[in-house]
């Protein structure tokens, strides 16, 4: 785990930064319980049904609930997210789920991004050692 991928909180304490990997192989968008740390995990349809996920090692892990929240991109765009909570080290955004929601996902040497097909807004991705990452900011509830 690289330390710069750990969640950070702004000095004023009002925003939490999260970094999610954009994954073309993920069937679901997932995150650990601590991402974002200030959003509560609630029971969702998948956890009620006892859904299990198979991870890269071949092991199965249970869905532990979900987190629904609004985040702000580095470009200042608001995005509504639902992340399924399970025992993972890194939050993942499913390309499949994003395309089902009306987005285009482009991986390219000249710049990678997620584009909303309705309004053309682009959220740019960071390429870090072959992994495409999206930085988001979550307002901390008070």
């Amino acid at each position: 785990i690289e330390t710069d991928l750990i969640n950070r909180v702004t000095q004023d304490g009002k925003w939490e930064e999260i970094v999610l990997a954009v994954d073309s192989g993920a069937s679901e968008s997932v995150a650990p319980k601590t991402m974002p740390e200030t959003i509560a995990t609630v029971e969702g349809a998948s956890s009620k049904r006892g859904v299990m996920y198979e991870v890269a090692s071949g092991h199965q892990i249970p869905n532990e609930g979900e987190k629904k929240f609004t985040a702000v991109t580095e470009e200042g765009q608001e995005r509504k997210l639902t992340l399924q909570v399970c025992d993972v080290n890194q939050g993942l955004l499913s390309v499949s789920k994003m395309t089902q929601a009306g987005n285009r996902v482009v991986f390219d040497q000249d710049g990678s991004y997620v584009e909303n097909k309705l309004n053309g807004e682009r959220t740019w991705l960071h390429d870090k050692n072959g992994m495409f990452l999206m930085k988001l900011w979550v307002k901390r509830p008070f």
Side-chain angles (χ1 to χ4, degrees):
I1 298 173
E2 297 184 38
T3 55
D4 61 344
L5 297 181
I6 295 174
N7 298 353
R8 290 182 287 225
V9 177
T10 57
Q11 289 183 343
D12 65 7
K14 294 182 181 178
W15 294 90
E16 177 183 353
E17 178 188 289
I18 61 172
V19 179
L20 300 168
V22 178
D23 190 340
S24 62
S27 60
E28 187 62 75
S29 295
V30 298
K33 287 181 185 177
T34 58
M35 183 184 283
E37 67 182 33
T38 57
I39 303 299
T41 301
V42 297
E43 188 175 50
S46 294
S47 60
K48 287 179 188 175
R49 289 194 324 271
V51 167
M52 303 286 283
Y53 302 113
E54 186 174 320
V55 295
S57 66
H59 292 92
Q60 290 189 350
I61 56 174
N63 180 303
E64 300 174 19
E66 64 186 23
K67 293 186 179 215
K68 291 185 177 193
F69 56 96
T70 300
V72 178
T73 68
E74 291 182 294
E75 295 79 13
Q77 307 152 353
E78 284 193 356
R79 297 288 181 253
K80 292 187 184 303
L81 289 146
T82 300
L83 300 176
Q84 300 304 310
V85 175
C86 55
D87 186 19
V88 292
N89 294 324
Q90 170 70 46
L92 304 175
L93 284 174
S94 165
V95 169
S96 174
K97 292 290 184 184
M98 288 191 287
T99 58
Q100 288 172 23
N103 296 288
R104 173 180 293 117
V105 182
V106 175
F107 299 112
D108 190 88
Q109 282 185 330
D110 295 329
S112 300
Y113 56 88
V114 177
E115 179 181 25
N116 180 309
K117 289 168 43 175
L118 288 178
N119 62 22
E121 286 184 338
R122 289 183 178 177
T123 303
W124 293 92
L125 306 176
H126 300 274
D127 181 355
K128 180 153 183 155
N129 301 323
M131 211 160 85
F132 295 93
L133 305 172
M134 182 185 292
K135 280 188 186 181
L136 297 162
W137 294 90
V138 180
K139 187 134 178 120
R140 296 169 60 94
F142 290 99

